[in-house]
Amino acid sequence: EPEVTQTPSHQVTQMGQEVILRCVPISNHLYFYWYRQILGQKVEFLVSFYNNEISEKSEIFDDQFSVERPDGSNFTLKIRSTKLEDSAMYFCASNRGTSGNEQFFGPGTRLTVL
Amino acid sequence: AQSVTQLGSHVSVSEGALVLLRCNYSSSVPPYLFWYVQYPNQGLQLLLKYTTGATLVKGINGFEAEFKKSETSFHLTKPSAHMSDAAEYFCAVRETGTYKYIFGTGTRLKVLA
C-alpha cells in the first residue's frame, strides 16, 4: 500500500541553523501539506501546496518557512533560522484533492532545536 | 472560524468495555469530519471520515462515529475495547472551500486489562 515517507525521523540542530525536512508524498497525489505538533499540544496546519505554489498557509508559516517541490517526488519544508520554539514533530501529508478526500500522513520528523 | 473540541484528554476503559471519545466541532458551513489514530512514534492513521450522506460511518478496527448536526458532534465509539486500541485519537474538521484540517487536542485512550 502506498504511503507518505519522511526523512529524517529525528533532526537535532542548533538555534539559528537552517534545516530542511523531506517528504515523499504518495505518487498520484496532487496536494501536499505540512503540519506540526509541539509536544503535548494539538496538530497544527502550516501550509498547503498545489500546482507548484502555496495554496493556503497559517499564521505560523512566516518568512522563516518555505516549501518546495524540487522534483517529481519530493516535497520539502525549510526553516531558515531555527528557534527553540520550532522544536516539534513535523508531519507531511498528501491527497488527491477531490472533495472529501482524506489526507494521508507520514510518520513525522521530530525536530529538536538546542 | 472553525474549531474542534475533544472532551477528555485522557480516557481509561477496561478491556471489553465500550469506548466513547467525544468530539464537538464549530463550523459555519457543512464540514468534513475525520478521526485519526496515532500509535506511539507513528504518524496519523485515518480511522473514518464523514463527508456527506449517511450520518453513521464505520471505520477500521471496529470503530464508528455518528455525525449529529443538531449537536455539532462527531463522537467516536467502539463496542468492545481491545488492548491494541491504546493510542491517541484526534478529531479533525475540514470546511468546504479549504483543504486544511483543524485538529482537536487529542484524547489518549488507555485500555486496562
Side-chain angles (χ1 to χ4, degrees):
Chain A
E1 185 174 328
E3 57 184 18
V4 177
T5 59
Q6 291 185 241
T7 54
S9 58
H10 192 187
Q11 174 90 48
V12 181
T13 189
Q14 296 290 325
M15 190 170 55
Q17 295 296 304
E18 174 183 288
V19 294
I20 297 176
L21 309 183
R22 291 182 167 79
C23 168
V24 179
I26 294 173
S27 62
N28 63 348
H29 285 185
L30 302 176
Y31 288 77
F32 314 112
Y33 311 83
W34 284 101
Y35 292 81
R36 79 171 186 191
Q37 183 183 27
I38 295 172
L39 188 63
Q41 299 186 25
K42 67 170 71 176
V43 177
E44 301 172 289
F45 169 80
L46 291 178
V47 66
S48 61
F49 191 86
Y50 169 72
N51 199 27
N52 281 320
E53 61 182 29
I54 291 173
S55 50
E56 198 170 1
K57 62 182 181 179
S58 72
E59 294 174 353
I60 303 167
F61 194 88
D62 60 22
D63 292 343
Q64 293 295 323
F65 292 89
S66 63
V67 289
E68 190 179 28
R69 188 153 163 83
D71 53 44
S73 59
N74 291 283
F75 179 52
T76 61
L77 174 69
K78 181 192 289 185
I79 309 175
R80 288 191 183 83
S81 178
T82 51
K83 308 182 189 67
L84 295 177
E85 54 265 35
D86 293 327
S87 295
M89 181 73 89
Y90 288 81
F91 292 106
C92 175
S94 70
N95 68 355
R96 290 195 304 272
T98 54
S99 179
N101 186 247
E102 69 268 22
Q103 295 175 16
F104 291 80
F105 285 79
T109 293
R110 181 164 296 284
L111 176 65
T112 302
V113 182
L114 303 176
Chain B
Q2 66 272 33
S3 64
V4 175
T5 302
Q6 289 184 244
L7 289 178
S9 58
H10 292 80
V11 170
S12 293
V13 299
S14 298
E15 191 174 20
L18 172 71
V19 175
L20 170 61
L21 304 182
R22 299 179 186 275
C23 173
N24 288 89
Y25 68 91
S26 170
S27 177
S28 58
V29 297
Y32 296 147
L33 295 159
F34 306 84
W35 275 100
Y36 281 83
V37 61
Q38 185 181 30
Y39 297 102
N41 301 313
Q42 294 188 28
L44 300 167
Q45 181 184 6
L46 181 72
L47 278 176
L48 48 78
K49 65 177 180 179
Y50 169 78
T51 54
T52 58
T55 55
L56 180 64
V57 292
K58 295 185 184 298
I60 62 171
N61 302 338
F63 284 94
E64 61 182 38
E66 186 172 9
F67 170 62
K68 291 187 176 180
K69 184 179 179 181
S70 61
E71 298 177 9
T72 60
S73 69
F74 191 56
H75 302 329
L76 181 70
T77 60
K78 181 174 180 178
S80 177
H82 192 272
M83 297 297 287
S84 61
D85 294 327
E88 186 138 25
Y89 292 80
F90 292 93
C91 181
V93 63
R94 175 169 88 78
E95 286 189 345
T96 52
T98 174
Y99 285 106
K100 69 180 182 185
Y101 283 12
I102 303 298
F103 282 87
T105 50
T107 297
R108 186 168 296 280
L109 176 66
K110 186 175 182 180
V111 181
L112 308 172

